[in-house]
């Protein structure tokens, strides 16, 4: 086993703690891929030789360090490849690393009884289609004719599905993926029912994301909203922006739109998080020309506000609804 899939058990929605925890993983290997909001893939091929320990032993050290330095426990799956490690994570629990053996027969046996939804990349719609035809386990999918799978889910998807169900893992860990996103969260002191407080939390988060993007001279292409509820369940929605932006007003509008689409009504919300993804340099982004004087005025005010915050602190200028 050379690949670990680590999921940190972060309290509430403290996604902003993830970069520090990724730094802990990078003490073992530079090949770390973030899986926001709370996970990572770790390639330990070089680390096993360097430390003289296998991946399962290193997983125990990682768990102890995460608890000692950050007060965060984690669950860890290990396998010969990223896909298998992610499947193993589903069977892992705090204190016990679930490891997939490297032998092909052992891999096939491990996967055979798993439901098709346990496979990364298989969504609810695909799983439902496969189950309607009796292909409700990975063992049955692996044994099914390739032509059948391709008729059900498509030519490329069918081929990839059969390979994965057979234990063929062609994935790799792509380092530095965390640099492609920025995240912030707003946990509530108690489970919150008030939609106005939800919207103020989203406004605050969007303002922070916009300021951070502009400070880095970056724009984002996608915005993701995650809502976590009192029963520890969560809902995540992503929206691709019409054009790359770091404009706080635009980010706020998109956040509000995703929030309204959730139709939460009387849901007890424990935390809200926003993540800006697909970051690109601002100077390389293209924009639609606007002749709206109000929008142009808002952007000029935003530039002045950024300079004031840089000099006097982040609370020097803020929307009136957040001032209290």
């Amino acid at each position: 086993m050379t690949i670990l899939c680590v999921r940190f058990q972060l309290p509430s929605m403290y996604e902003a703690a993830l970069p520090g925890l990724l730094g802990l993983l990078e003490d073992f290997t530079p090949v770390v891929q973030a899986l926001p909001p709370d996970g990572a893939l770790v390639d330990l091929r070089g680390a096993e030789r360097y430390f003289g320990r296998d991946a399962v032993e290193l997983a125990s050290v990682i768990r102890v360090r995460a608890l000692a330095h950050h007060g965060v426990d984690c669950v860890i799956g290990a396998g010969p490849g990223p896909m298998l490690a992610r499947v193993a994570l589903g069977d892992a629990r705090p204190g016990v690393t679930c490891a997939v053996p490297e032998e092909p027969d052992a891999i096939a046996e491990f996967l055979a009884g798993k439901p098709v939804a346990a496979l990364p990349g298989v969504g609810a719609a695909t799983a439902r289609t496969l189950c309607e035809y009796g292909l409700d386990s990975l063992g049955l999918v692996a044994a099914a004719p390739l032509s059948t799978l391709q008729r059900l889910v498509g030519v490329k998807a069918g081929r990839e599905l059969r390979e994965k169900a057979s234990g063929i893992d062609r994935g790799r860990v792509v380092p530095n993926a965390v640099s492609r996103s920025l995240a912030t969260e707003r946990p509530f002191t108690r489970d919150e029912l008030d939609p106005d407080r939800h919207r103020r939390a989203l406004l605050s988060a969007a303002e922070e994301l916009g300021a951070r993007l502009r400070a880095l001279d970056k724009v984002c292409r996608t915005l993701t909203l995650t809502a976590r509820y009192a029963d520890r369940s969560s809902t995540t929605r992503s929206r691709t922006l019409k054009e790359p932006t770091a404009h706080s007003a635009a980010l706020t509008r998109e956040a509000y739109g995703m929030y309204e689409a959730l139709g939460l009504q009387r849901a007890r919300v424990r935390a809200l998080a926003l993540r800006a993804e697909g970051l690109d340099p601002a100077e390389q982004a293209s924009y639609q020309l606007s002749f709206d004087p109000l929008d142009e005025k808002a952007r000029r005010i935003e530039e002045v506000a950024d300079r004031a915050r840089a000099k006097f602190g982040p609370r020097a200028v803020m929307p009136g609804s957040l001032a209290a």
Side-chain angles (χ1 to χ4, degrees):
M1 285 77 66
T2 58
I3 307 296
L4 298 183
C5 185
V6 183
R7 177 173 294 156
F8 297 104
Q9 297 188 314
L10 299 177
S12 298
M13 284 294 297
Y14 289 97
E15 187 177 338
L18 185 60
L21 293 165
L22 294 177
L24 180 151
L25 299 176
E26 289 170 351
D27 290 340
F28 294 86
T29 172
V31 190
V32 176
Q33 178 180 347
L35 298 177
D38 57 3
L41 288 170
V42 188
D43 189 334
L44 293 175
R45 279 176 292 189
E48 287 178 312
R49 294 191 297 270
Y50 182 82
F51 291 103
R53 299 185 180 187
D54 63 25
V56 175
E57 292 173 325
L58 290 173
S60 298
V61 178
I62 289 171
R63 184 179 293 109
V64 170
R65 289 194 180 184
L67 280 168
H69 296 292
H70 299 272
V72 174
D73 202 354
C74 56
V75 291
I76 303 176
M83 182 271 293
L84 292 168
R86 295 178 74 167
V87 175
L89 182 69
D91 290 345
R93 62 183 188 274
V96 178
T97 299
C98 178
V100 181
E102 296 187 8
E103 296 75 19
D105 291 342
I107 292 174
E109 182 180 353
F110 174 81
L111 293 175
K114 301 290 183 189
V116 291
L119 204 63
V122 175
T126 300
R128 186 166 53 250
T129 299
L130 293 171
C131 290
E132 287 174 354
Y133 287 85
L135 302 174
D136 57 353
S137 72
L138 295 181
L140 293 173
V141 171
L146 177 59
S147 58
T148 299
L149 296 176
Q150 290 178 328
R151 282 198 299 271
L152 293 177
V153 300
V155 175
K156 181 179 179 181
R159 183 174 61 252
E160 293 178 350
L161 177 63
R162 193 167 189 269
E163 286 186 350
K164 291 179 178 179
S166 302
I168 300 174
D169 192 348
R170 302 185 187 278
R172 63 188 183 92
V173 179
V174 181
N176 301 325
V178 71
S179 64
R180 297 283 293 171
S181 68
L182 287 177
T184 186
E185 65 285 323
R186 292 297 183 269
F188 297 104
T189 55
R190 60 186 179 187
D191 298 333
E192 187 57 67
L193 291 165
D194 188 353
D196 290 336
R197 291 183 180 271
H198 297 166
R199 292 173 66 88
R200 283 200 293 272
L202 290 174
L203 173 60
S204 173
E207 286 283 330
E208 179 187 330
L209 272 186
R212 290 168 62 187
L213 286 167
R214 294 190 297 274
L216 295 171
D217 289 326
K218 299 280 189 179
V219 293
C220 71
R221 296 181 178 274
T222 304
L223 192 65
T224 298
L225 166 66
T226 302
R228 185 165 182 172
Y229 311 112
D231 61 358
R232 297 184 181 276
S233 65
S234 62
T235 304
T236 300
R237 293 289 184 271
S238 293
R239 183 171 293 182
T240 300
L241 307 179
K242 292 181 180 179
E243 64 180 23
T245 188
H247 186 29
S248 295
L251 297 174
T252 301
R253 284 195 298 271
E254 295 296 340
Y256 284 170
M258 288 187 287
Y259 171 79
E260 296 297 338
L262 291 178
L264 297 182
Q265 297 179 353
R266 296 291 293 172
R268 293 188 297 159
V269 178
R270 182 158 295 178
L272 293 168
L274 284 180
R275 185 167 69 251
E277 300 175 298
L279 306 191
D280 290 315
E283 65 271 13
Q284 296 180 9
S286 57
Y287 302 97
Q288 176 67 43
L289 291 176
S290 173
F291 297 99
D292 183 355
L294 294 179
D295 183 69
E296 183 64 27
K297 180 179 179 181
R299 291 177 185 270
R300 290 201 302 269
I301 292 174
E302 192 172 67
E303 293 176 3
V304 174
D306 285 342
R307 291 198 293 269
R309 293 189 193 105
K311 185 174 182 179
F312 299 108
R315 295 182 61 85
V317 181
M318 65 179 63
S321 59
L322 301 179

